[in-house]
Amino acid sequence: MSEICCGLRVGQDVPDFKIETFEPTKGDFGEISLETLKADKKWTILFFYPAAFTFV
């Protein structure tokens, strides 16, 4: 039986995404996409930690 998983594995490409960001030095919101980061040749670290920044 094969295991079905929707996560990424080492070596797989991350799908493009856009997220809303807050730039504290400017005090303003903006948007960034993985496509933009790749075009600018920026290193990017993605992490997901459920409930890490939620208020309880």
Side-chain angles (χ1 to χ4, degrees):
M1 178 166 31
S2 64
E3 185 176 319
I4 298 174
C5 180
C6 58
L8 294 173
R9 295 177 188 253
V10 174
Q12 285 184 308
D13 288 340
V14 175
D16 191 25
F17 60 86
K18 290 182 182 181
I19 56 172
E20 186 177 7
T21 61
F22 179 75
E23 178 57 55
T25 59
K26 295 179 183 177
D28 198 13
F29 289 89
E31 187 176 84
I32 192 82
S33 71
L34 184 59
E35 181 180 9
T36 302
L37 294 169
K38 284 182 177 180
D40 293 341
K41 299 187 187 270
K42 302 262 182 169
W43 283 75
T44 306
I45 297 173
L46 303 173
F47 76 95
F48 177 75
Y49 195 106
F53 304 108
T54 56
F55 298 101
V56 179

